[in-house]
Amino acid sequence: MKNFILRTITAIGIVAVQVLCTYLSQYSLAALFLLLTALTVNEFIKIMSQRGEVAVSRPIVIAGSCYLFFVFWFNSLTRGESLALFFPYLLFLIYCYIKELFGKQPNPIANLGTIMLSQMYVVLPLSLINVLAFTPFECFHSEAPYYAITLAIYIFIWINDTGAYLSGITLGKHKMFPRISPKKSWEGAIGGALATIASAFIVAHFYTFMELWQWIGMAIVVILAGTFGDLTESMMKRQLDIKDSGHILPGHGGFLDRLDSMLFAIPAVVAYLLALSL
């Protein structure tokens, strides 16, 4: 009971910070995700290094990661007129390669793999939030508030997780992927999906710049991508033999534990909106 109360209080705090920073301004939204990028990359490298097989410079990788986020943010503001800013990031990647090539680390491939995975798994998805916040997609029928798509992703993920949890503990009998995540059931997944699709009707009522069927499609994309993101992190934790990615969020673990669904949902939604805009 104590853990449930702690988990609930932490969840309320997380939701409040996310919604406040998202609503406040485009800059507070970018600042929030820049901070999440730095903290999550730090956490990712930390758990990958815990067995002593990986040894990379966290400050350098975090600096390169934050720079990539900045480039996405600036290019989103300038409608892609500052693509030359990507060049220093390429130099950062080349530096990481040369450092391992001429260094004397026992596992240079593991080091490079960790660096590249941190960029693809964490930094790129979080950087794409700038595309969602600053891009007027052609599929929008009218001007959309900058925060609308981001807020919808939050809502769909939260509803899906909550619906899956409640359906799972009440109806769950058939395990989904017991080898990776023994607590997840097909009944829970179906319950979460139905609740999320139902929430798309509410979102469509308040935000009419997309049609109802487009919001339902986005909800389905978030359901599928978020589930794969959750399972991917579960697989990673099982491989590393850890329960949580960190302990900074009481009752919730680390940042990867909170963002696992979003890391897959954000790029999936970008791809979905681009496809609708064709």
Side-chain angles (χ1 to χ4, degrees), residues 72-142:
F72 268 92
W73 172 76
F74 197 77
N75 271 278
S76 296
L77 282 179
T78 60
R79 299 293 187 267
E81 296 179 1
S82 307
L83 295 178
L85 289 175
F86 280 101
F87 183 70
Y89 179 74
L90 295 178
L91 294 180
F92 157 72
L93 296 179
I94 293 172
Y95 163 79
C96 292
Y97 171 74
I98 293 176
K99 184 176 182 294
E100 296 301 328
L101 184 65
F102 292 99
K104 297 181 180 179
Q105 296 289 347
N107 295 299
I109 297 300
N111 293 342
L112 280 174
T114 297
I115 294 172
M116 295 306 298
L117 188 57
S118 73
Q119 303 303 291
M120 296 297 295
Y121 178 51
V122 177
V123 184
L124 182 59
L126 294 180
S127 297
L128 287 174
I129 201 69
N130 295 295
V131 176
L132 295 178
F134 297 105
T135 302
F137 291 93
E138 292 184 14
C139 62
F140 295 167
H141 306 308
S142 58

Side-chain angles (χ1 to χ4, degrees), residues 26-39:
Q26 294 170 316
Y27 300 100
S28 62
L29 172 62
L32 170 65
F33 274 82
L34 176 61
L35 178 61
L36 289 175
T37 297
L39 294 173

Side-chain angles (χ1 to χ4, degrees), residues 139-178:
C139 62
F140 295 167
H141 306 308
S142 58
E143 186 176 354
Y146 74 89
Y147 54 79
I149 295 296
T150 302
L151 186 63
I153 293 176
Y154 294 164
I155 293 171
F156 292 155
I157 289 177
W158 294 335
I159 295 294
N160 188 48
D161 289 346
T162 304
Y165 174 75
L166 295 177
S167 299
I169 61 175
T170 55
L171 303 173
K173 293 181 180 180
H174 301 86
K175 299 302 180 182
M176 199 172 181
F177 291 100

Side-chain angles (χ1 to χ4, degrees), residues 49-66:
S49 305
Q50 64 181 5
R51 293 184 178 180
E53 299 173 356
V54 173
V56 300
S57 174
R58 273 190 274 173
I60 291 177
V61 177
I62 291 172
S65 302
C66 290

